[in-house]
Amino acid sequence: MAEAQKYLPGVPDEDDEIEAASFDPRLEQEAERIAEALVFASAQPVSEAYIESRLPRGADVRGIMLRLKALYATRGVNLVQVADHWAFRTAADLSFVVQTDEPEVRKLSRAALEVLSIIAYHQPVTRAEIEDIRGVQTSKGTLDVLMEAGWVRFRGRRRTPGRPVTFGTTRDFLDHFGLEELRDLPGIEELKGAGLLSGRVPSNLNIPVPTGDDDLAENEDPITQLDLEELGLLTPKGEEAD
């Protein structure tokens, strides 16, 4: 009877009932409320995977988040996407009215800004490659400042002699600069329009388009505990260095 029922028009089987339930408007509204609460309660951007784990089975997480994003687009706070994470942020045009007691963040030096830009556009990139692009030596202190800010991280180790460490940007970098993904970084024409590049830019200047791919490249190996110990980030016993 169950087999025959599948072929009777207008007679739903159990699978159809489950699928229909997943699109119940009441469940969809409740899923939106849950997702909204999860992001609101978190001080850090929340991953879609975490949100999905808390929603009713079958809920369209991406669709729910995009609807909430549209809902908050004209509010005092906006729901913003940071890679595959989501966070509430003060609307950009209202940031001047928000007062905080947090100490002012120390401004980056010109050298740090240059290094950060090179890493953002050229990642994965090694220290030697950064110095080759800049034309000057890069101090360890400059990289330390960027890593302490949480904007730069070790990605892996290049499969070349000496196995140099490769650098890349972090999700906090995207969040701080209001980017959903690396592909949102401005191109050369946008940089010129914003006055960040002089009008006499060399014709052979190449600003690569970031791929947005966070996976290791074919010529990269993952960072291991032994690598971290060698870099002085972990003690030989596996404990974090002070």
Side-chain angles (χ1 to χ4, degrees):
M1 180 63 180
E3 286 294 324
Q5 186 185 39
K6 293 184 177 181
Y7 300 98
L8 292 177
V11 180
D13 60 16
E14 294 180 358
D15 292 338
D16 291 333
E17 292 176 358
I18 293 174
E19 184 176 354
S22 67
F23 290 95
D24 187 324
R26 291 172 299 178
L27 288 178
E28 197 75 8
Q29 184 179 20
E30 184 65 15
E32 286 188 7
R33 294 180 65 240
I34 294 172
E36 183 180 29
L38 289 172
V39 179
F40 179 80
S42 176
Q44 301 296 327
V46 183
S47 70
E48 287 185 4
Y50 178 81
I51 296 172
E52 183 177 17
S53 70
R54 298 298 191 273
L55 298 185
R57 188 177 63 177
D60 178 10
V61 180
R62 177 53 64 92
I64 288 172
M65 301 312 296
L66 290 177
R67 285 195 296 274
L68 287 173
K69 180 180 180 181
L71 177 65
Y72 279 92
T74 58
R75 302 285 184 86
V77 292
N78 299 151
L79 181 63
V80 299
Q81 184 178 356
V82 184
D84 62 344
H85 288 57
W86 294 85
F88 280 114
R89 294 289 182 262
T90 303
D93 61 328
L94 297 178
S95 59
F96 71 97
V97 301
V98 179
Q99 298 180 354
T100 94
D101 296 329
E102 296 179 2
E104 183 179 355
V105 178
R106 184 178 60 180
K107 293 183 179 180
L108 294 180
S109 65
R110 178 175 178 177
L113 286 172
E114 289 178 357
V115 171
L116 179 61
S117 300
I118 291 171
I119 293 174
Y121 281 94
H122 293 265
Q123 59 186 302
V125 61
T126 66
R127 180 173 174 176
E129 291 167 342
I130 294 172
E131 293 177 346
D132 183 56
I133 294 171
R134 292 187 66 216
V136 295
Q137 187 175 3
T138 299
S139 69
K140 182 178 180 297
T142 299
L143 288 167
D144 287 343
V145 167
L146 296 175
M147 298 188 76
E148 288 172 3
W151 295 344
V152 168
R153 65 182 175 88
F154 293 127
R155 278 180 53 105
R157 304 201 77 160
R158 185 70 57 77
R159 294 176 188 167
T160 55
R163 299 182 67 241
V165 172
T166 57
F167 295 93
T169 53
T170 66
R171 192 174 65 246
D172 286 344
F173 166 81
L174 296 177
D175 189 23
H176 182 84
F177 289 97
L179 304 171
E180 288 189 6
E181 57 182 357
L182 287 173
R183 294 187 185 91
D184 293 330
L185 283 167
I188 188 168
E189 295 303 324
E190 293 173 288
L191 292 172
K192 286 181 181 178
L196 298 176
L197 289 178
S198 67
R200 292 179 289 181
V201 177
S203 59
N204 62 346
L205 177 66
N206 177 36
I207 296 182
V209 178
T211 63
D213 187 359
D214 208 29
D215 295 333
L216 292 174
E218 293 183 357
N219 62 348
E220 279 184 292
D221 288 322
I223 293 282
T224 66
Q225 179 172 320
L226 290 177
D227 292 325
L228 294 176
E229 292 176 3
E230 179 183 331
L231 295 168
L233 300 179
L234 290 179
T235 65
K237 293 182 179 180
E239 299 175 352
E240 292 188 4
D242 294 333

